[in-house]
């Protein structure tokens, strides 16, 4: 099955800083999503991005499917950005496979 | 985006009893739903794929007799943890794909077996 590696595992930032989270995956995929898991466990959809680049406010993501990686950019981080960020690629019709996540802590 | 609703959000049960968790797609039909399990500070691990009108497909190492999955309609899948024991305590979360293949997740169910 697909192997997913996320880096860094932990990230500590001051409010206002920028960051880049990386996701490498082992096989070709038709689907890739980024999620933010809040303290109550809810997975918040950030991006559905099997390829290309998307932006949503202070967040943007890029997936280079041919090179099997995706990046999540967070600019001007805020304390509310704290939490765990998961990358989850998958193939058509099958379940998403989750990486181990990046735990982000933003302090004021 | 599409809405997936999971119930209950949390449940405490006695060892040896069974617990049913429901997962509903509220505004779309889902022929396939997925069940995951998450231990504290760990990633989500796929347990099984639930197929409407047919048997679920379980991942290696997941006991199908302990985790019964039923997908009786295009909007409802249920996971029943049978004869629950403390080691079954975990966070269970379901997902379904919307029309464009994007996956949406339920709120999750925190199960504690005492």
């Amino acid at each position: 099955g697909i192997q997913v590696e996320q880096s860094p595992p932990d990230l500590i930032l001051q409010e206002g800083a920028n960051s880049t989270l990386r996701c490498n995956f082992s096989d070709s995929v038709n689907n890739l999503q980024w999620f933010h898991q809040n303290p109550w466990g809810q997975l918040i959809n950030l991006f559905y991005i099997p390829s290309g680049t998307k932006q949503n406010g202070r967040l943007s993501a890029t997936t280079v499917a041919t090179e099997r990686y995706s990046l999540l950019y967070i600019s001007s981080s805020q304390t509310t950005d704290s939490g765990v960020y998961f990358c989850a690629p998958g193939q058509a019709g099958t379940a998403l496979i989750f990486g181990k996540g990046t735990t982000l802590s933003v302090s004021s | 985006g599409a809405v997936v609703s999971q119930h209950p959000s949390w449940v405490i049960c006695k060892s040896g009893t069974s617990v049913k968790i429901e997962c509903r797609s509220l505004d779309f039909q889902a022929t396939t739903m997925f069940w995951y399990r998450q231990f504290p500070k760990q990633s989500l691990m796929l347990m099984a794929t639930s197929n409407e009108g047919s048997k679920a497909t379980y991942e290696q190492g997941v006991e199908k007799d302990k985790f019964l999955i039923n997908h009786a309609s295009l909007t409802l899948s249920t996971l029943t943890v049978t004869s629950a024991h403390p080691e079954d305590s975990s966070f269970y979360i379901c997902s379904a794909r919307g029309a464009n293949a994007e996956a949406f997740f339920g709120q999750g169910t925190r199960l504690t077996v005492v």
Side-chain angles (χ1 to χ4, degrees), chain A residues 12-76:
Chain A
I12 299 174
L13 299 175
Q14 285 283 333
E15 203 168 24
N18 302 328
S19 62
T20 301
L21 282 58
R22 186 176 179 103
C23 172
N24 293 332
F25 44 94
S26 61
D27 296 314
S28 60
V29 298
N30 308 101
N31 184 7
L32 188 140
Q33 293 182 235
W34 283 95
F35 299 90
H36 178 206
Q37 189 169 37
N38 68 20
W40 298 271
Q42 174 77 54
L43 285 171
I44 310 299
N45 286 40
L46 297 178
F47 293 102
Y48 168 67
I49 187 165
S51 64
T53 297
K54 290 185 178 179
Q55 180 157 6
N56 184 3
R58 295 181 296 104
L59 273 60
S60 63
T62 295
T63 296
V64 183
T66 53
E67 297 187 22
R68 300 182 183 170
Y69 73 89
S70 183
L71 302 173
L72 177 69
Y73 305 95
I74 304 174
S75 64
S76 303

Short mmCIF file of all heavy atoms in Angstrom, two decimals, chain A residues 12-76:
data_model
loop_
_atom_site.label_atom_id
_atom_site.label_comp_id
_atom_site.label_asym_id
_atom_site.label_seq_id
_atom_site.Cartn_x
_atom_site.Cartn_y
_atom_site.Cartn_z
N ILE A 12 7.25 24.33 16.14
CA ILE A 12 6.88 25.38 17.11
C ILE A 12 7.19 26.72 16.48
O ILE A 12 8.31 26.96 16.02
CB ILE A 12 7.68 25.21 18.43
CG1 ILE A 12 7.37 23.86 19.06
CG2 ILE A 12 7.34 26.34 19.40
CD1 ILE A 12 8.22 23.54 20.28
N LEU A 13 6.19 27.59 16.46
CA LEU A 13 6.33 28.89 15.81
C LEU A 13 5.86 30.01 16.72
O LEU A 13 5.00 29.81 17.58
CB LEU A 13 5.49 28.94 14.53
CG LEU A 13 5.78 27.96 13.42
CD1 LEU A 13 4.74 28.11 12.31
CD2 LEU A 13 7.18 28.18 12.86
N GLN A 14 6.40 31.19 16.45
CA GLN A 14 5.86 32.40 17.04
C GLN A 14 4.75 32.90 16.12
O GLN A 14 4.81 32.73 14.90
CB GLN A 14 6.95 33.46 17.16
CG GLN A 14 7.95 33.21 18.28
CD GLN A 14 7.38 33.55 19.63
OE1 GLN A 14 6.49 34.39 19.75
NE2 GLN A 14 7.88 32.90 20.67
N GLU A 15 3.79 33.51 16.72
CA GLU A 15 2.69 34.09 15.94
C GLU A 15 3.26 35.02 14.87
O GLU A 15 4.18 35.81 15.13
CB GLU A 15 1.77 34.86 16.87
CG GLU A 15 0.36 35.03 16.35
CD GLU A 15 -0.59 35.53 17.43
OE1 GLU A 15 -0.10 36.15 18.40
OE2 GLU A 15 -1.79 35.27 17.32
N GLY A 16 2.74 34.90 13.66
CA GLY A 16 3.20 35.75 12.56
C GLY A 16 4.21 35.09 11.65
O GLY A 16 4.46 35.56 10.54
N ALA A 17 4.78 33.98 12.10
CA ALA A 17 5.79 33.29 11.28
C ALA A 17 5.11 32.49 10.17
O ALA A 17 3.93 32.17 10.23
CB ALA A 17 6.63 32.38 12.16
N ASN A 18 5.93 32.15 9.17
CA ASN A 18 5.47 31.31 8.06
C ASN A 18 6.04 29.91 8.22
O ASN A 18 7.08 29.71 8.87
CB ASN A 18 5.94 31.88 6.72
CG ASN A 18 5.46 33.30 6.48
OD1 ASN A 18 4.38 33.69 6.95
ND2 ASN A 18 6.27 34.09 5.81
N SER A 19 5.37 28.93 7.62
CA SER A 19 5.87 27.56 7.72
C SER A 19 5.48 26.75 6.50
O SER A 19 4.53 27.08 5.79
CB SER A 19 5.32 26.87 8.98
OG SER A 19 3.92 26.79 8.93
N THR A 20 6.26 25.69 6.28
CA THR A 20 6.00 24.76 5.19
C THR A 20 5.99 23.34 5.74
O THR A 20 6.96 22.92 6.37
CB THR A 20 7.07 24.87 4.09
OG1 THR A 20 7.09 26.20 3.58
CG2 THR A 20 6.77 23.89 2.96
N LEU A 21 4.91 22.64 5.47
CA LEU A 21 4.79 21.24 5.88
C LEU A 21 4.89 20.40 4.62
O LEU A 21 4.32 20.74 3.58
CB LEU A 21 3.44 20.99 6.57
CG LEU A 21 3.27 21.43 8.01
CD1 LEU A 21 3.51 22.92 8.19
CD2 LEU A 21 1.88 21.05 8.51
N ARG A 22 5.60 19.28 4.74
CA ARG A 22 5.85 18.45 3.56
C ARG A 22 5.23 17.07 3.73
O ARG A 22 5.17 16.52 4.84
CB ARG A 22 7.35 18.31 3.31
CG ARG A 22 7.67 17.57 2.00
CD ARG A 22 9.15 17.52 1.72
NE ARG A 22 9.41 16.79 0.47
CZ ARG A 22 9.71 17.40 -0.68
NH1 ARG A 22 9.79 18.71 -0.74
NH2 ARG A 22 9.94 16.69 -1.76
N CYS A 23 4.81 16.51 2.59
CA CYS A 23 4.22 15.17 2.57
C CYS A 23 4.80 14.44 1.36
O CYS A 23 4.63 14.89 0.23
CB CYS A 23 2.70 15.28 2.43
SG CYS A 23 1.83 13.72 2.16
N ASN A 24 5.49 13.34 1.62
CA ASN A 24 6.00 12.47 0.56
C ASN A 24 5.18 11.20 0.54
O ASN A 24 4.81 10.67 1.60
CB ASN A 24 7.47 12.11 0.81
CG ASN A 24 8.39 13.31 0.69
OD1 ASN A 24 8.12 14.26 -0.02
ND2 ASN A 24 9.49 13.27 1.42
N PHE A 25 4.90 10.69 -0.65
CA PHE A 25 4.14 9.45 -0.74
C PHE A 25 4.79 8.54 -1.77
O PHE A 25 5.48 8.99 -2.70
CB PHE A 25 2.66 9.71 -1.07
CG PHE A 25 2.41 10.72 -2.14
CD1 PHE A 25 2.23 10.33 -3.46
CD2 PHE A 25 2.33 12.07 -1.82
CE1 PHE A 25 1.98 11.26 -4.45
CE2 PHE A 25 2.09 13.02 -2.80
CZ PHE A 25 1.91 12.61 -4.13
N SER A 26 4.55 7.25 -1.59
CA SER A 26 5.37 6.25 -2.29
C SER A 26 4.84 5.82 -3.65
O SER A 26 5.60 5.27 -4.45
CB SER A 26 5.51 5.00 -1.41
OG SER A 26 4.22 4.44 -1.16
N ASP A 27 3.54 6.04 -3.92
CA ASP A 27 2.96 5.55 -5.17
C ASP A 27 2.20 6.68 -5.87
O ASP A 27 1.90 7.70 -5.25
CB ASP A 27 1.98 4.39 -4.91
CG ASP A 27 2.68 3.18 -4.32
OD1 ASP A 27 3.75 2.81 -4.84
OD2 ASP A 27 2.16 2.62 -3.34
N SER A 28 1.88 6.45 -7.11
CA SER A 28 1.06 7.43 -7.82
C SER A 28 -0.34 7.43 -7.21
O SER A 28 -0.85 6.38 -6.80
CB SER A 28 0.99 7.08 -9.31
OG SER A 28 0.42 5.80 -9.49
N VAL A 29 -0.92 8.61 -7.13
CA VAL A 29 -2.22 8.76 -6.49
C VAL A 29 -3.15 9.61 -7.35
O VAL A 29 -2.69 10.41 -8.17
CB VAL A 29 -2.09 9.40 -5.09
CG1 VAL A 29 -1.26 8.50 -4.18
CG2 VAL A 29 -1.50 10.79 -5.15
N ASN A 30 -4.44 9.41 -7.16
CA ASN A 30 -5.44 10.21 -7.86
C ASN A 30 -6.08 11.24 -6.94
O ASN A 30 -6.88 12.05 -7.39
CB ASN A 30 -6.55 9.30 -8.39
CG ASN A 30 -6.01 8.15 -9.19
OD1 ASN A 30 -5.91 7.04 -8.68
ND2 ASN A 30 -5.65 8.41 -10.43
N ASN A 31 -5.76 11.15 -5.67
CA ASN A 31 -6.42 12.00 -4.69
C ASN A 31 -5.40 12.34 -3.61
O ASN A 31 -4.55 11.51 -3.25
CB ASN A 31 -7.60 11.24 -4.07
CG ASN A 31 -8.40 12.10 -3.11
OD1 ASN A 31 -8.18 13.29 -2.97
ND2 ASN A 31 -9.34 11.49 -2.42
N LEU A 32 -5.45 13.56 -3.12
CA LEU A 32 -4.63 13.93 -1.98
C LEU A 32 -5.35 15.05 -1.26
O LEU A 32 -5.83 16.01 -1.88
CB LEU A 32 -3.23 14.39 -2.39
CG LEU A 32 -2.26 14.61 -1.22
CD1 LEU A 32 -0.87 14.10 -1.58
CD2 LEU A 32 -2.22 16.02 -0.74
N GLN A 33 -5.46 14.92 0.04
CA GLN A 33 -6.14 15.93 0.84
C GLN A 33 -5.28 16.30 2.04
O GLN A 33 -4.53 15.47 2.56
CB GLN A 33 -7.51 15.43 1.30
CG GLN A 33 -8.49 15.26 0.15
CD GLN A 33 -9.87 14.81 0.59
OE1 GLN A 33 -10.39 13.80 0.12
NE2 GLN A 33 -10.48 15.56 1.49
N TRP A 34 -5.43 17.54 2.46
CA TRP A 34 -4.82 18.03 3.70
C TRP A 34 -5.94 18.32 4.69
O TRP A 34 -6.98 18.88 4.32
CB TRP A 34 -4.02 19.31 3.45
CG TRP A 34 -2.68 19.11 2.80
CD1 TRP A 34 -2.38 19.18 1.47
CD2 TRP A 34 -1.43 18.83 3.47
NE1 TRP A 34 -1.04 18.96 1.27
CE2 TRP A 34 -0.43 18.75 2.48
CE3 TRP A 34 -1.06 18.65 4.81
CZ2 TRP A 34 0.91 18.49 2.77
CZ3 TRP A 34 0.27 18.40 5.11
CH2 TRP A 34 1.24 18.32 4.10
N PHE A 35 -5.68 17.95 5.94
CA PHE A 35 -6.66 18.16 7.00
C PHE A 35 -5.98 18.82 8.20
O PHE A 35 -4.79 18.64 8.46
CB PHE A 35 -7.25 16.83 7.48
CG PHE A 35 -7.99 16.05 6.44
CD1 PHE A 35 -7.32 15.12 5.65
CD2 PHE A 35 -9.35 16.22 6.25
CE1 PHE A 35 -8.00 14.38 4.70
CE2 PHE A 35 -10.04 15.48 5.30
CZ PHE A 35 -9.36 14.56 4.53
N HIS A 36 -6.81 19.53 8.96
CA HIS A 36 -6.41 20.04 10.27
C HIS A 36 -7.31 19.36 11.29
O HIS A 36 -8.54 19.42 11.15
CB HIS A 36 -6.58 21.56 10.31
CG HIS A 36 -6.24 22.17 11.64
ND1 HIS A 36 -6.79 23.36 12.06
CD2 HIS A 36 -5.40 21.77 12.61
CE1 HIS A 36 -6.30 23.65 13.25
NE2 HIS A 36 -5.45 22.72 13.59
N GLN A 37 -6.70 18.67 12.25
CA GLN A 37 -7.51 18.03 13.28
C GLN A 37 -7.58 18.93 14.49
O GLN A 37 -6.54 19.29 15.07
CB GLN A 37 -6.96 16.66 13.66
CG GLN A 37 -7.90 15.87 14.58
CD GLN A 37 -7.50 14.42 14.75
OE1 GLN A 37 -6.33 14.09 14.82
NE2 GLN A 37 -8.50 13.53 14.81
N ASN A 38 -8.79 19.31 14.87
CA ASN A 38 -8.94 20.23 16.00
C ASN A 38 -8.87 19.46 17.33
O ASN A 38 -8.82 18.23 17.32
CB ASN A 38 -10.23 21.05 15.87
CG ASN A 38 -11.49 20.24 16.02
OD1 ASN A 38 -11.49 19.14 16.58
ND2 ASN A 38 -12.60 20.78 15.52
N PRO A 39 -8.82 20.17 18.44
CA PRO A 39 -8.64 19.48 19.74
C PRO A 39 -9.75 18.48 20.06
O PRO A 39 -9.55 17.59 20.89
CB PRO A 39 -8.63 20.64 20.74
CG PRO A 39 -8.15 21.81 19.95
CD PRO A 39 -8.73 21.62 18.57
N TRP A 40 -10.89 18.59 19.44
CA TRP A 40 -11.98 17.65 19.69
C TRP A 40 -11.95 16.46 18.74
O TRP A 40 -12.81 15.60 18.79
CB TRP A 40 -13.33 18.38 19.56
CG TRP A 40 -13.45 19.47 20.58
CD1 TRP A 40 -13.94 19.38 21.85
CD2 TRP A 40 -13.02 20.82 20.41
NE1 TRP A 40 -13.85 20.59 22.48
CE2 TRP A 40 -13.29 21.50 21.63
CE3 TRP A 40 -12.45 21.54 19.35
CZ2 TRP A 40 -13.00 22.86 21.81
CZ3 TRP A 40 -12.17 22.89 19.53
CH2 TRP A 40 -12.44 23.52 20.76
N GLY A 41 -10.96 16.45 17.86
CA GLY A 41 -10.80 15.31 16.97
C GLY A 41 -11.40 15.48 15.59
O GLY A 41 -11.17 14.65 14.71
N GLN A 42 -12.16 16.52 15.40
CA GLN A 42 -12.78 16.74 14.10
C GLN A 42 -11.74 17.03 13.04
O GLN A 42 -10.83 17.83 13.26
CB GLN A 42 -13.76 17.92 14.18
CG GLN A 42 -14.37 18.34 12.85
CD GLN A 42 -15.48 17.41 12.38
OE1 GLN A 42 -16.43 17.16 13.11
NE2 GLN A 42 -15.35 16.90 11.16
N LEU A 43 -11.87 16.38 11.90
CA LEU A 43 -10.98 16.63 10.77
C LEU A 43 -11.59 17.72 9.90
O LEU A 43 -12.69 17.55 9.37
CB LEU A 43 -10.78 15.36 9.95
CG LEU A 43 -9.87 14.31 10.56
CD1 LEU A 43 -9.94 13.02 9.75
CD2 LEU A 43 -8.44 14.79 10.63
N ILE A 44 -10.86 18.80 9.77
CA ILE A 44 -11.30 19.91 8.96
C ILE A 44 -10.63 19.81 7.60
O ILE A 44 -9.40 19.76 7.51
CB ILE A 44 -10.93 21.26 9.60
CG1 ILE A 44 -11.37 21.31 11.07
CG2 ILE A 44 -11.50 22.42 8.80
CD1 ILE A 44 -12.85 21.17 11.28
N ASN A 45 -11.43 19.76 6.54
CA ASN A 45 -10.87 19.71 5.19
C ASN A 45 -10.19 21.04 4.85
O ASN A 45 -10.83 22.08 4.90
CB ASN A 45 -11.97 19.44 4.16
CG ASN A 45 -12.46 18.02 4.18
OD1 ASN A 45 -12.61 17.43 5.24
ND2 ASN A 45 -12.73 17.48 3.01
N LEU A 46 -8.91 20.98 4.50
CA LEU A 46 -8.20 22.18 4.09
C LEU A 46 -8.12 22.25 2.57
O LEU A 46 -8.48 23.27 1.98
CB LEU A 46 -6.79 22.21 4.69
CG LEU A 46 -6.70 22.26 6.21
CD1 LEU A 46 -5.23 22.22 6.63
CD2 LEU A 46 -7.39 23.49 6.75
N PHE A 47 -7.62 21.21 1.97
CA PHE A 47 -7.47 21.18 0.52
C PHE A 47 -7.70 19.77 -0.03
O PHE A 47 -7.29 18.79 0.57
CB PHE A 47 -6.05 21.62 0.10
CG PHE A 47 -5.74 23.06 0.38
CD1 PHE A 47 -4.96 23.40 1.47
CD2 PHE A 47 -6.21 24.06 -0.46
CE1 PHE A 47 -4.67 24.73 1.74
CE2 PHE A 47 -5.93 25.39 -0.21
CZ PHE A 47 -5.16 25.73 0.89
N TYR A 48 -8.37 19.76 -1.17
CA TYR A 48 -8.45 18.57 -2.01
C TYR A 48 -7.56 18.89 -3.19
O TYR A 48 -7.90 19.75 -4.01
CB TYR A 48 -9.88 18.30 -2.44
CG TYR A 48 -10.03 17.26 -3.53
CD1 TYR A 48 -9.72 15.94 -3.30
CD2 TYR A 48 -10.49 17.62 -4.80
CE1 TYR A 48 -9.86 14.99 -4.30
CE2 TYR A 48 -10.62 16.68 -5.80
CZ TYR A 48 -10.31 15.36 -5.55
OH TYR A 48 -10.44 14.42 -6.54
N ILE A 49 -6.38 18.26 -3.26
CA ILE A 49 -5.38 18.75 -4.21
C ILE A 49 -4.56 17.59 -4.78
O ILE A 49 -3.39 17.41 -4.41
CB ILE A 49 -4.50 19.84 -3.57
CG1 ILE A 49 -3.59 20.47 -4.60
CG2 ILE A 49 -3.78 19.35 -2.31
CD1 ILE A 49 -2.95 21.78 -4.18
N PRO A 50 -5.14 16.81 -5.71
CA PRO A 50 -4.37 15.73 -6.32
C PRO A 50 -3.21 16.22 -7.18
O PRO A 50 -2.26 15.48 -7.42
CB PRO A 50 -5.41 14.99 -7.16
CG PRO A 50 -6.54 15.93 -7.32
CD PRO A 50 -6.53 16.84 -6.15
N SER A 51 -3.30 17.46 -7.63
CA SER A 51 -2.19 18.06 -8.39
C SER A 51 -2.38 19.56 -8.40
O SER A 51 -3.48 20.07 -8.12
CB SER A 51 -2.14 17.52 -9.82
OG SER A 51 -3.30 17.90 -10.52
N GLY A 52 -1.31 20.28 -8.74
CA GLY A 52 -1.41 21.72 -8.89
C GLY A 52 -1.31 22.49 -7.58
O GLY A 52 -0.82 21.98 -6.58
N THR A 53 -1.75 23.72 -7.63
CA THR A 53 -1.64 24.64 -6.50
C THR A 53 -2.99 25.27 -6.20
O THR A 53 -3.72 25.62 -7.13
CB THR A 53 -0.60 25.74 -6.79
OG1 THR A 53 0.68 25.14 -6.97
CG2 THR A 53 -0.53 26.75 -5.65
N LYS A 54 -3.31 25.39 -4.92
CA LYS A 54 -4.53 26.07 -4.50
C LYS A 54 -4.20 26.97 -3.33
O LYS A 54 -3.27 26.73 -2.57
CB LYS A 54 -5.60 25.05 -4.07
CG LYS A 54 -6.19 24.23 -5.20
CD LYS A 54 -7.33 23.36 -4.68
CE LYS A 54 -7.96 22.57 -5.81
NZ LYS A 54 -9.06 21.70 -5.34
N GLN A 55 -5.02 28.00 -3.18
CA GLN A 55 -4.84 28.92 -2.06
C GLN A 55 -6.18 29.20 -1.42
O GLN A 55 -7.21 29.30 -2.10
CB GLN A 55 -4.21 30.23 -2.52
CG GLN A 55 -4.00 31.22 -1.39
CD GLN A 55 -2.93 32.24 -1.68
OE1 GLN A 55 -2.39 32.31 -2.79
NE2 GLN A 55 -2.58 33.04 -0.69
N ASN A 56 -6.15 29.31 -0.10
CA ASN A 56 -7.35 29.66 0.65
C ASN A 56 -6.91 30.54 1.82
O ASN A 56 -6.46 30.05 2.85
CB ASN A 56 -8.06 28.41 1.15
CG ASN A 56 -9.37 28.74 1.84
OD1 ASN A 56 -9.78 29.90 1.90
ND2 ASN A 56 -10.04 27.73 2.36
N GLY A 57 -7.01 31.83 1.61
CA GLY A 57 -6.59 32.76 2.67
C GLY A 57 -5.10 32.67 2.93
O GLY A 57 -4.29 32.79 2.02
N ARG A 58 -4.75 32.42 4.20
CA ARG A 58 -3.34 32.33 4.57
C ARG A 58 -2.74 30.96 4.26
O ARG A 58 -1.53 30.76 4.43
CB ARG A 58 -3.20 32.61 6.07
CG ARG A 58 -3.58 34.02 6.50
CD ARG A 58 -3.38 34.22 7.99
NE ARG A 58 -4.25 33.36 8.79
CZ ARG A 58 -3.83 32.27 9.41
NH1 ARG A 58 -2.57 31.87 9.34
NH2 ARG A 58 -4.69 31.55 10.11
N LEU A 59 -3.55 30.05 3.84
CA LEU A 59 -3.06 28.71 3.53
C LEU A 59 -3.00 28.50 2.03
O LEU A 59 -3.86 28.99 1.29
CB LEU A 59 -3.99 27.66 4.14
CG LEU A 59 -3.74 27.21 5.58
CD1 LEU A 59 -3.83 28.37 6.55
CD2 LEU A 59 -4.70 26.11 5.96
N SER A 60 -1.98 27.75 1.61
CA SER A 60 -1.92 27.31 0.23
C SER A 60 -1.27 25.93 0.21
O SER A 60 -0.61 25.53 1.17
CB SER A 60 -1.14 28.29 -0.64
OG SER A 60 0.20 28.38 -0.22
N ALA A 61 -1.50 25.23 -0.89
CA ALA A 61 -0.95 23.88 -1.02
C ALA A 61 -0.55 23.65 -2.45
O ALA A 61 -1.17 24.18 -3.38
CB ALA A 61 -1.97 22.84 -0.57
N THR A 62 0.49 22.83 -2.60
CA THR A 62 0.97 22.44 -3.92
C THR A 62 1.24 20.95 -3.91
O THR A 62 1.88 20.44 -2.99
CB THR A 62 2.28 23.17 -4.26
OG1 THR A 62 2.02 24.57 -4.37
CG2 THR A 62 2.86 22.66 -5.57
N THR A 63 0.76 20.27 -4.94
CA THR A 63 1.07 18.85 -5.11
C THR A 63 1.75 18.65 -6.45
O THR A 63 1.24 19.11 -7.48
CB THR A 63 -0.20 17.98 -5.05
OG1 THR A 63 -0.80 18.10 -3.75
CG2 THR A 63 0.13 16.52 -5.30
N VAL A 64 2.91 18.00 -6.41
CA VAL A 64 3.62 17.62 -7.62
C VAL A 64 3.52 16.10 -7.71
O VAL A 64 4.34 15.37 -7.15
CB VAL A 64 5.09 18.09 -7.60
CG1 VAL A 64 5.76 17.74 -8.92
CG2 VAL A 64 5.16 19.59 -7.33
N ALA A 65 2.47 15.67 -8.39
CA ALA A 65 2.15 14.24 -8.39
C ALA A 65 3.26 13.40 -9.02
O ALA A 65 3.55 12.29 -8.56
CB ALA A 65 0.82 14.01 -9.10
N THR A 66 3.89 13.94 -10.06
CA THR A 66 4.93 13.17 -10.75
C THR A 66 6.14 12.93 -9.86
O THR A 66 6.88 11.97 -10.04
CB THR A 66 5.38 13.89 -12.02
OG1 THR A 66 5.73 15.24 -11.68
CG2 THR A 66 4.26 13.91 -13.05
N GLU A 67 6.35 13.83 -8.89
CA GLU A 67 7.48 13.67 -7.97
C GLU A 67 7.02 13.17 -6.60
O GLU A 67 7.82 13.04 -5.68
CB GLU A 67 8.24 14.99 -7.85
CG GLU A 67 8.86 15.41 -9.17
CD GLU A 67 9.76 16.63 -9.04
OE1 GLU A 67 10.25 16.91 -7.92
OE2 GLU A 67 9.95 17.32 -10.05
N ARG A 68 5.73 12.92 -6.47
CA ARG A 68 5.17 12.27 -5.28
C ARG A 68 5.41 13.04 -4.00
O ARG A 68 5.87 12.50 -2.98
CB ARG A 68 5.67 10.83 -5.17
CG ARG A 68 5.28 10.00 -6.38
CD ARG A 68 5.70 8.58 -6.29
NE ARG A 68 5.36 7.85 -7.51
CZ ARG A 68 5.77 6.63 -7.80
NH1 ARG A 68 6.56 5.99 -6.95
NH2 ARG A 68 5.40 6.05 -8.92
N TYR A 69 5.06 14.34 -4.06
CA TYR A 69 5.09 15.09 -2.82
C TYR A 69 4.06 16.21 -2.87
O TYR A 69 3.59 16.61 -3.94
CB TYR A 69 6.48 15.67 -2.52
CG TYR A 69 6.91 16.83 -3.39
CD1 TYR A 69 6.61 18.14 -3.02
CD2 TYR A 69 7.61 16.61 -4.56
CE1 TYR A 69 7.01 19.22 -3.81
CE2 TYR A 69 8.01 17.68 -5.36
CZ TYR A 69 7.71 18.96 -4.98
OH TYR A 69 8.11 20.02 -5.77
N SER A 70 3.70 16.67 -1.69
CA SER A 70 2.80 17.80 -1.55
C SER A 70 3.30 18.69 -0.42
O SER A 70 3.91 18.20 0.53
CB SER A 70 1.37 17.32 -1.24
OG SER A 70 0.47 18.39 -1.19
N LEU A 71 3.04 19.97 -0.55
CA LEU A 71 3.46 20.95 0.44
C LEU A 71 2.27 21.77 0.90
O LEU A 71 1.41 22.13 0.09
CB LEU A 71 4.52 21.90 -0.14
CG LEU A 71 5.79 21.26 -0.70
CD1 LEU A 71 6.64 22.31 -1.40
CD2 LEU A 71 6.59 20.60 0.41
N LEU A 72 2.22 22.04 2.18
CA LEU A 72 1.20 22.93 2.75
C LEU A 72 1.92 24.14 3.34
O LEU A 72 2.83 23.98 4.16
CB LEU A 72 0.40 22.22 3.84
CG LEU A 72 -0.65 23.07 4.57
CD1 LEU A 72 -1.80 23.41 3.62
CD2 LEU A 72 -1.18 22.34 5.80
N TYR A 73 1.54 25.33 2.88
CA TYR A 73 2.14 26.56 3.36
C TYR A 73 1.17 27.29 4.29
O TYR A 73 -0.01 27.44 3.95
CB TYR A 73 2.46 27.51 2.20
CG TYR A 73 3.32 26.93 1.11
CD1 TYR A 73 2.74 26.38 -0.03
CD2 TYR A 73 4.71 26.96 1.19
CE1 TYR A 73 3.52 25.85 -1.04
CE2 TYR A 73 5.50 26.45 0.17
CZ TYR A 73 4.89 25.90 -0.94
OH TYR A 73 5.68 25.38 -1.95
N ILE A 74 1.68 27.71 5.41
CA ILE A 74 0.89 28.53 6.33
C ILE A 74 1.63 29.85 6.50
O ILE A 74 2.79 29.87 6.94
CB ILE A 74 0.72 27.84 7.70
CG1 ILE A 74 0.10 26.46 7.53
CG2 ILE A 74 -0.16 28.71 8.62
CD1 ILE A 74 0.01 25.65 8.82
N SER A 75 0.98 30.92 6.15
CA SER A 75 1.62 32.23 6.29
C SER A 75 1.00 32.99 7.46
O SER A 75 -0.16 32.77 7.81
CB SER A 75 1.49 33.04 5.00
OG SER A 75 0.13 33.32 4.75
N SER A 76 1.80 33.87 8.03
CA SER A 76 1.34 34.72 9.15
C SER A 76 0.56 33.89 10.17
O SER A 76 -0.60 34.18 10.48
CB SER A 76 0.46 35.86 8.62
OG SER A 76 1.15 36.62 7.66
#
